[in-house]
């Protein structure tokens, strides 16, 4: 079922805005040690995406190797944070739905068991690495 | 379908739908051909309460969204530590209604 364009664009806008707010908070107040991750706060163990903020901070400071060591998810996250707001704004301005179509296409692909299994395998490996490092 | 059969089906499955959806379903099921009743019973319905429990325990990994078929949102939650914990919290309030909506859509897809 396709999401309603208005709801999709509102939620995506809110998610991107929160993402940028979080990045800016971390840029202005580095090293507070606070993590919003529920899993880490409850169990003390990192989740698959723990370290993404540090990774994005490293990318912003030009340290790409350190970003990889923090969490490789930082690269796609940074790319999404950089390009998705422009894409979203263009769609809203010109009354298009290309971002929604792209999301729907990606979701359809992700629903294919081999694609989903491969992605979850990658995330699983990343989680194991996150747990041991 | 027989009105008694429809009511029995709705009584035994009422936890999977909202009261409004039950009313709509009843109208459709009354008009439904008996040959389609097997398909109706084979519909894979998710328990909203179970989804809430999954959402509390593993919601920040997006598993709740994966289970109801919202793969894109599941990946989104998984890659953002449950949307920095906010999405996880918001989903605790949304997941039961969303599960009922998914159940309703699945059932409608089988009978319409």
């Amino acid at each position: 079922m396709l999401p309603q364009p208005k709801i999709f664009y509102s939620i995506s806008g809110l998610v991107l805005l929160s993402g940028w707010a979080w990045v800016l908070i971390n840029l202005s107040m580095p090293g507070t040690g606070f993590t919003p991750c529920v899993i880490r706060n409850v169990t003390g163990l990192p989740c698959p995406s723990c370290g993404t903020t540090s990774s994005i901070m490293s990318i912003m400071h030009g340290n790409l190797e350190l970003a990889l060591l923090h969490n490789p998810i930082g690269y796609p996250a940074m790319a999404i944070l950089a390009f998705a707001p422009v894409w979203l704004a263009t769609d809203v301005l010109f009354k298009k739905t290309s971002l929604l179509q792209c999301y729907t296409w990606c979701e359809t692909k992700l629903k294919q068991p081999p694609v989903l299994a491969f992605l979850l395998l990658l995330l699983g490996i990343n989680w194991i690495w996150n747990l041991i490092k | 379908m027989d009105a008694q059969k429809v009511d029995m089906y709705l009584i035994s499955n009422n936890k999977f739908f909202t009261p409004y959806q039950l009313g709509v379903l009843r109208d459709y099921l009354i008009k439904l051909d008996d040959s389609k009743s097997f398909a109706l019973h084979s519909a894979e319905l998710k328990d909203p309460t179970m989804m809430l429990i999954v959402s509390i325990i593993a919601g920040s990994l997006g598993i709740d969204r994966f289970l109801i078929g919202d793969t894109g949102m599941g990946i989104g939650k998984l890659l953002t530590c449950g949307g920095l914990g906010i999405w996880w919290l918001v989903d605790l309030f949304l997941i039961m209604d969303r599960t009922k909506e998914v159940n309703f859509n699945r059932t409608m897809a089988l009978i319409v």
Side-chain angles (χ1 to χ4, degrees), chain A residues 1 36 47 49 107 111 119 123, chain B residues 60 69 71-72 75 78 81 84 105:
Chain A
M1 191 187 64
C47 80
S49 49
E107 192 170 44
K111 277 182 180 171
L119 188 71
L123 287 168
Chain B
S60 60
T71 315
I75 294 283
L78 179 60
C81 286
L84 304 170
N105 290 336

Side-chain angles (χ1 to χ4, degrees), chain A residues 67-80:
Chain A
L68 183 75
L69 290 173
H70 278 306
N71 198 325
I73 292 172
Y75 296 119
M78 185 71 236
I80 290 169

Side-chain angles (χ1 to χ4, degrees), chain B residues 34-86:
Chain B
D34 268 339
S35 60
K36 279 192 176 177
S37 65
F38 180 74
L40 177 72
H41 288 284
S42 66
E44 197 189 328
L45 302 174
K46 304 282 183 194
D47 188 344
T49 314
M50 187 56 74
M51 281 303 132
L52 178 63
I53 295 167
V54 171
S55 196
I56 293 166
I57 296 168
S60 60
L61 296 175
I63 292 173
D64 49 347
R65 288 285 175 175
F66 281 121
L67 284 175
I68 58 169
D70 290 341
T71 315
M73 283 200 174
I75 294 283
K77 274 178 93 174
L78 179 60
L79 296 184
T80 57
C81 286
L84 304 170
I86 300 167

